[in-house]
Amino acid sequence: MGGPELEQLIGLFSRLPGLGPRSARRIVLKLLRDKEGGLARLADAMQAAAAAVRSCTVCGNLDSSDPCAICAEPLREARICVVEGVADLWALERAHVYRGRYHILGSTLSALAGRGPEDLAIAPLLARLEAAPVEEIILALPATVEGAATAHYLTERLKRFGIPLSRLAQGVPIGGALEVLDEGTLATALRARGAAN
Amino acid sequence: MGGPELEQLIGLFSRLPGLGPRSARRIVLKLLRDKEGGLARLADAMQAAAAAVRSCTVCGNLDSSDPCAICAEPLREARICVVEGVADLWALERAHVYRGRYHILGSTLSALAGRGPEDLAIAPLLARLEAAPVEEIILALPATVEGAATAHYLTERLKRFGIPLSRLAQGVPIGGALEVLDEGTLATALRARGAAN
């Protein structure tokens, strides 16, 4: 319908995360309604990003400068928060509570999926710690089996540096209703309960 | 975060229909994970579509050929289905029940929004009917106040051609549970009830 160019475009959009054929068609029709301001502008922005954005050689963050803006900030604290991906770094930055640096692993260990330590950016992390010691390493990994396995493995590998290691607290999310929480989170939150003052 | 190119790209994506900042970030990260196959390929497809796709000068459909593939199909019946937009034409084509031609109005009449008959592709429709008479005109307009006003106006304007005019049936959608239907639809479906055989 609409010729090969249109079908190709809708097909590519429908494979993006969270989109399907219906939403892809809606988006493409909206973009075509204003070819200059919609379609061409977005295509230009994509090509500009493809040309400019690269992985930071220090921490793995995506940025148009290398080292990335965060690594280049002189006032960041000498802490490293280890995350799985760039989306996690962005989420932590939006929370405005952490003023340290980051390290992006790129993935988590998974025996099932065949992802071993060599598939993660662990060697660059060790190299960073050799080059400049830090006050603390925070493991902000997903609260999944793979995340826990990765945290466990990193704890072993980082032991020799003698740097304080911490991990994010687990419990009831803020605004979370107990009745919709899974049993695992509830059990963790109950076991880790603190004084009510 | 991530430099101006990345921010610009996320901003443009987040303004697309159905997307917001969160889904835009997810999509952009996914595209950046594979620059060649993801970002560059989608940008190329967008530029190809921007260059190739245009409005059919006969019916207003979007296609890379003009007249569009539907207008160029010789075996289509001499009926015209009048729709508001290209998305409606696509939806009808997906239903595989209609083998006639289309005419896209581009909009509906709206006194509130200040859209009059001159804002709709009505003159081209009249010109088509002058040039080649058809057996039937089907008004497949939205079941809204604007859609009804547009259908009413078109009925008046098309009277002089003496062509049978029809409109889509209104009632309970297939698979629709009565308890979640609005009162207007239920009232219409009840008034238009037919024999149960």
Side-chain angles (χ1 to χ4, degrees):
Chain A
M1 208 128 58
E5 292 86 359
L6 207 50
E7 278 178 15
Q8 158 91 342
L9 186 57
I10 292 171
L12 287 177
F13 263 108
S14 69
R15 287 199 287 278
L16 292 178
L19 299 185
R22 184 186 289 262
S23 42
R25 283 193 296 264
R26 251 180 88 203
I27 286 174
V28 167
L29 279 180
K30 171 80 189 297
L31 288 172
L32 278 167
R33 212 166 292 161
D34 176 15
K35 275 194 195 177
E36 278 315 302
L39 208 50
R41 197 161 160 227
L42 184 56
D44 289 348
M46 290 174 71
Q47 267 156 350
V53 178
R54 70 208 73 191
S55 287
C56 172
T57 46
V58 179
C59 75
N61 186 18
L62 290 170
D63 203 313
S64 28
S65 58
D66 182 17
C68 75
I70 293 173
C71 285
E73 236 178 85
L75 292 178
R76 290 262 170 178
E77 295 168 4
R79 287 172 216 284
I80 292 181
C81 181
V82 178
V83 292
E84 183 183 10
V86 175
D88 306 320
L89 181 159
W90 289 356
L92 282 161
E93 284 294 292
R94 282 198 301 278
H96 294 292
V97 286
Y98 177 67
R99 298 291 303 160
R101 301 172 184 281
Y102 294 91
H103 192 84
I104 288 160
L105 292 179
S107 189
T108 46
L109 295 177
S110 168
L112 257 164
R115 289 195 306 269
E118 65 288 348
D119 298 313
L120 277 56
I122 293 175
L125 174 62
L126 302 180
R128 278 178 81 178
L129 297 173
E130 307 270 10
V134 295
E135 289 164 24
E136 182 187 7
I137 295 173
I138 303 165
L139 301 178
L141 295 167
T144 59
V145 175
E146 287 84 5
T150 312
H152 182 77
Y153 178 84
L154 281 175
T155 306
E156 286 301 310
R157 292 288 298 270
L158 297 172
K159 213 178 255 172
R160 65 172 166 104
F161 290 97
I163 300 167
L165 268 178
S166 61
R167 56 166 76 195
L168 295 187
Q170 295 189 330
V172 181
I174 305 304
L178 291 198
E179 59 178 9
V180 298
L181 268 185
D182 63 295
E183 294 81 18
T185 302
L186 272 180
T188 306
L190 191 64
R191 274 198 301 268
R193 66 188 177 277
N197 37 350
Chain B
M1 208 128 59
E5 292 87 359
L6 207 50
E7 277 179 14
Q8 157 91 340
L9 186 58
I10 293 171
L12 287 175
F13 263 109
S14 68
R15 287 199 287 277
L16 292 178
L19 299 185
R22 184 185 289 262
S23 42
R25 284 192 295 264
R26 251 180 88 204
I27 286 174
V28 167
L29 279 181
K30 171 80 189 294
L31 288 171
L32 278 167
R33 212 166 291 160
D34 176 15
K35 276 194 195 177
E36 278 314 302
L39 208 51
R41 198 162 159 226
L42 184 54
D44 289 348
M46 289 173 71
Q47 267 156 350
V53 178
R54 68 208 74 192
S55 289
C56 172
T57 46
V58 178
C59 76
N61 185 19
L62 289 170
D63 204 312
S64 30
S65 57
D66 183 18
C68 74
I70 293 174
C71 285
E73 237 179 84
L75 292 177
R76 290 264 170 176
E77 295 169 3
R79 287 171 216 284
I80 291 180
C81 181
V82 178
V83 293
E84 182 183 10
V86 174
D88 306 322
L89 181 159
W90 288 356
L92 282 161
E93 284 293 292
R94 282 198 303 278
H96 294 293
V97 288
Y98 177 68
R99 296 292 303 159
R101 300 173 185 282
Y102 293 91
H103 193 83
I104 287 160
L105 291 179
S107 189
T108 45
L109 296 177
S110 169
L112 257 164
R115 289 195 305 268
E118 66 288 351
D119 298 314
L120 277 57
I122 293 175
L125 174 61
L126 302 179
R128 278 178 82 177
L129 297 173
E130 306 271 10
V134 295
E135 288 164 25
E136 183 188 6
I137 295 173
I138 302 164
L139 301 178
L141 294 168
T144 58
V145 174
E146 287 83 7
T150 312
H152 183 75
Y153 179 85
L154 281 175
T155 306
E156 286 302 310
R157 292 288 300 269
L158 297 171
K159 215 177 252 173
R160 66 174 167 104
F161 291 97
I163 301 166
L165 267 179
S166 61
R167 56 166 76 195
L168 295 187
Q170 295 188 329
V172 181
I174 307 304
L178 292 199
E179 59 178 8
V180 298
L181 270 184
D182 63 296
E183 294 81 21
T185 303
L186 273 179
T188 305
L190 191 65
R191 274 198 301 266
R193 67 188 177 277
N197 35 352

